[in-house]
Amino acid sequence: QVQLVESGGGLVQPGGSLKLSCAASGGILNMNSMGWYRQAPGMQRELVASIASGGKTNYSDPVKGRFTISRDAAKKMVSLQMNSLKPEDTAVYYCNAYVLSTEFKNIEVWGQGTLVTVSS
């Protein structure tokens, strides 16, 4: 069973930085695109950033220039460096990945989420 486990959330002051990490484990043959989504209270889940297997990145407009997504294919990990954080970045952040499993199935996997709170 493929699992994603996030780490790195917490409380940070406005203007501060946090780095989120996500590690994949289980029956994985190949990691395809990976990404981060977030969901604020009362809001729909939204894409924050994604990175394709070839390294091409995509960012939502609110985080462009402040967040950086990266991946380590060998470690099956994806990270999100968040700088210049704002109170509106407060949300539960979810790791997402499309993988080819050892059962030769293309599946979408979600992490359990990690809370990021930006407040003074």
Side-chain angles (χ1 to χ4, degrees), residues 5-86:
V5 178
E6 301 110 333
S7 60
L11 173 65
V12 64
Q13 292 186 340
S17 298
L18 275 179
K19 184 175 183 178
L20 306 182
S21 296
C22 172
S25 62
I28 300 171
L29 280 180
N30 190 49
M31 302 291 296
N32 295 315
S33 66
M34 303 184 76
W36 290 93
Y37 288 70
R38 68 186 181 187
Q39 187 167 19
M43 304 293 285
Q44 289 188 331
R45 192 174 297 189
E46 63 176 4
L47 174 69
V48 175
S50 65
I51 183 165
S53 56
K56 183 177 180 181
T57 58
N58 178 52
Y59 296 93
S60 64
D61 286 342
V63 309
K64 280 181 181 177
R66 299 188 297 122
F67 291 11
T68 302
I69 189 170
S70 61
R71 65 188 288 169
D72 184 327
K75 295 182 179 179
K76 298 184 179 65
M77 292 186 66
V78 63
S79 298
L80 185 69
Q81 177 66 46
M82 305 184 293
N83 299 328
S84 302
L85 283 161
K86 305 175 181 180

